[in-house]
Amino acid sequence: MKLTDFAIQSDARLDDCIYNEAHKLEELHNEIIHDFKDCLCANIGEKLTQYDDMYCHKIKPKHIKVYRSKEPRTYIGIGGKVTYYRREYLDTRTMETFHLIDDVINLEKAHRITKNLKAKVLSLRQNLSCREVSKALFGHVSRQSVCKIMYECIPDNISYDFCALSRATVSDIFVEADEAHTVLVNGSR
């Protein structure tokens, strides 16, 4: 559905709700926001697929060959899940394969979560537990994914001199961890 069609449909739903069931306005508001995100993500996926098609048929240099035809791919961004179709290309000069769309949107190889969403997870995690971060992001990222992002982004060799004097005195330090996500002394989990 095009965004303009979505706006017309939402406007009609709002008019109907206000004139007939005004007490359900908040519920309709949430539905429209959810539907808008889904519509926007679908449109982004279509545009990414169109860009890949245009590159394949019009812009692609002669030394670039299509290695694999269209494959579905889904990434998770701050707005939700975006599914698109991409091709894998082969550079015949260097014999390297690449996905043009993944490079354009700066998506890391073998990752589904964008860097912006990872940064949002890390910023939310400063004040919330892994489960609460998942809820704050409307379930786009699972609790396990939040823990994995934390594990990947925070180095193991954090060194901090606890004996150094500072202006603020710290009376207690709390570390949140459970046995499923920490490495034991012998290296096992």
Side-chain angles (χ1 to χ4, degrees), residues 73-142:
R73 170 86 158 130
T74 300
Y75 77 84
I76 304 170
I78 291 178
K81 294 180 182 182
V82 175
T83 301
Y84 58 96
Y85 290 89
R86 66 182 183 168
R87 291 177 178 87
E88 187 172 7
Y89 296 97
L90 173 70
D91 186 343
T92 56
R93 291 187 293 187
T94 62
M95 298 308 290
E96 292 182 6
T97 60
F98 64 96
H99 294 95
L100 175 75
I101 298 298
D102 291 355
D103 294 342
V104 167
I105 62 176
N106 201 15
L107 190 64
E108 298 175 71
K109 187 175 183 177
H111 286 267
R112 289 175 36 121
I113 299 174
T114 62
K115 291 179 181 179
N116 288 340
L117 185 58
K118 286 181 182 180
K120 179 97 171 166
V121 165
L122 291 174
S123 68
L124 287 172
R125 183 61 181 94
Q126 293 176 6
N127 300 321
L128 302 172
S129 69
C130 292
R131 182 167 318 221
E132 291 170 341
V133 169
S134 178
K135 288 179 185 175
L137 295 172
F138 308 107
H140 293 309
V141 180
S142 67

Side-chain angles (χ1 to χ4, degrees), residues 110-111 143-153 181:
H111 286 267
R143 182 187 62 82
Q144 293 88 353
S145 296
V146 172
C147 293
K148 183 179 178 186
I149 291 168
M150 294 293 297
Y151 185 75
E152 289 175 351
C153 294
H181 297 96

Side-chain angles (χ1 to χ4, degrees), residues 11 77 177:
D11 191 44

Side-chain angles (χ1 to χ4, degrees), residues 151 156 177-189:
Y151 185 75
D156 290 335
D178 62 21
E179 63 276 358
H181 297 96
T182 58
V183 178
L184 301 177
V185 175
N186 63 3
S188 65
R189 287 185 179 256

